[in-house]
Amino acid sequence: MTRNLKIFLSLLFVMVVSAAFGQDHQSPQADERPVAKKVLFLGDSMTGWLAERLNAYGKENGFEVATVVWDGSTIKKWGSSPRLTSIISQQDPDAIFISLGMNELFEANPATRLGTQLDAIKGAAGDVPIIWVGPPSWPGHDKGETLNTWLAGELGEGHFFRSFDLTLPRQSKTNPHPTREGMVKWMDAAVEWVQENGAVKFPDVKKPAGEQMSRGKTFIYKRMKETL
């Protein structure tokens, strides 16, 4: 074998090995999603315990949760409220978590009946990412797929957590509200999804021990007949 051929083969070997190494050992893509260090969690009666479980995560992992619960509220109510924009501005969150839709779960034509109000909620959020924690199923009923599918499509990838398929213990056979254990299971599943697939991420998601819940510094509760 001539000297030039040996050099050529050596160079060829180095090139092949380098190419293979580069393919197998590429650096993972950087996660450039915004980090949520302050969350505003708003919604209906499902929101209280969900937000308290999320705040327990916050205490463990370095973020805070401000909560506004409006008992019996709906997408239509929140989207029609003149106070929504000022609440968001006041709290200045990195992300807005929303738990709405349980009281409109059986809506057969959400695009027509709720579209304007959903657009208003998204408009009030502006550039702040929304994470919508979708409603679970209603025990004893098989309706709700239409609303969930519509919300997922309108909000887009990374912004809608589908809760509809979760199996959650409820307070009774006909009560849609999960038990405390069910709320913990629900929020744990949502947090895991957010960290892997959400439009935002948390600083970390070390799980709080047991069924810990805690209220953040801001926790506002409005009754069904009260205005926001």
Side-chain angles (χ1 to χ4, degrees):
M1 184 180 295
T2 66
R3 182 170 179 274
N4 288 342
L5 183 57
K6 286 182 179 179
I7 293 172
F8 172 77
L9 291 174
S10 297
L11 289 172
L12 183 62
F13 175 76
V14 170
M15 290 170 64
V16 170
V17 170
S18 297
F21 183 85
Q23 288 175 356
D24 293 339
H25 298 274
Q26 287 178 349
S27 300
Q29 277 191 333
D31 188 344
E32 297 180 352
R33 292 177 298 163
V35 178
K37 293 187 177 179
K38 181 171 184 182
V39 172
L40 171 60
F41 206 144
L42 54 85
D44 56 27
S45 57
M46 297 284 188
T47 305
W49 272 355
L50 287 176
E52 288 184 24
R53 180 59 174 176
L54 184 60
N55 193 64
Y57 272 92
K59 291 179 72 173
E60 289 279 351
N61 299 288
F63 63 90
E64 62 175 302
V65 181
T67 307
V68 183
V69 179
W70 193 4
D71 200 16
S73 63
T74 60
I75 297 168
K76 189 170 283 189
K77 274 190 169 184
W78 278 93
S80 302
S81 173
R83 287 218 55 218
L84 178 57
T85 301
S86 62
I87 290 171
I88 294 171
S89 178
Q90 244 178 8
Q91 295 301 323
D92 191 24
D94 300 311
I96 301 168
F97 277 54
I98 297 174
S99 174
L100 287 171
M102 197 75 230
N103 296 314
E104 292 154 310
L105 188 62
F106 301 160
E107 178 56 63
N109 195 357
T112 300
R113 296 177 63 85
L114 306 175
T116 300
Q117 288 79 19
L118 180 62
D119 286 344
I121 292 171
K122 293 194 293 183
D127 294 331
V128 183
I130 289 174
I131 300 292
W132 197 293
V133 181
S137 62
W138 196 301
H141 296 271
D142 59 2
K143 296 179 181 179
E145 181 62 50
T146 299
L147 180 72
N148 276 274
T149 300
W150 176 72
L151 283 171
E154 291 295 310
L155 292 160
E157 188 175 351
H159 295 276
F160 181 76
F161 173 68
R162 183 182 166 97
S163 311
F164 195 62
D165 305 317
L166 295 177
T167 302
L168 304 171
R170 310 300 176 106
Q171 294 180 21
S172 76
K173 289 182 179 180
T174 57
N175 189 339
H177 291 81
T179 61
R180 182 185 179 92
E181 177 192 356
M183 287 290 191
V184 168
K185 180 180 179 181
W186 185 5
M187 196 69 245
D188 286 355
V191 167
E192 183 179 345
W193 176 86
V194 168
Q195 203 68 351
E196 292 181 1
N197 304 297
V200 299
K201 62 182 177 181
F202 297 114
D204 203 352
V205 287
K206 180 184 176 184
K207 186 180 288 189
E211 295 183 3
Q212 282 187 49
M213 292 183 179
S214 66
R215 289 190 175 183
K217 294 177 183 177
T218 300
F219 192 99
I220 299 168
Y221 176 79
K222 294 288 184 179
R223 297 185 184 278
M224 188 180 299
K225 293 184 179 179
E226 291 182 295
T227 58
L228 188 59

